[in-house]
Amino acid sequence: MTRARLMLAAGIALATTAPALAQANPNAPRQPNIQNVPPAWLGYAAMFLLVAAVLAVSLYPSKRSHQD
């Protein structure tokens, strides 16, 4: 094997084992603990208010005259 091939093989071996080494880090962030889930109706109410606001603004009559 030539020196370039050996370096390439070492680089590939390091690249394939790096994720496993990173997962074994004891200082890794903890897993998320989702226990406070907001109710679904709250999201629907927010979407309804946003859609109502967009419709109200888009349907608001303009103050243009027939000469514009």
Side-chain angles (χ1 to χ4, degrees), residues 2-64:
T2 64
R3 184 176 180 96
R5 277 187 133 177
L6 186 60
M7 294 300 284
L8 179 64
I12 291 173
L14 179 63
T16 56
T17 58
L21 294 174
Q23 289 177 356
N25 185 4
N27 295 327
R30 58 186 171 83
Q31 291 293 334
N33 187 8
I34 302 173
Q35 291 179 353
N36 271 346
V37 179
W41 66 267
L42 192 62
Y44 287 119
M47 284 190 293
F48 175 76
L49 290 174
L50 288 173
V51 168
V54 168
L55 281 175
V57 169
S58 66
L59 293 176
Y60 191 75
S62 64
K63 305 259 191 237
R64 295 183 179 174

Side-chain angles (χ1 to χ4, degrees), residues 61-68:
S62 64
K63 305 259 191 237
R64 295 183 179 174
S65 68
H66 68 282
Q67 296 175 348
D68 284 344

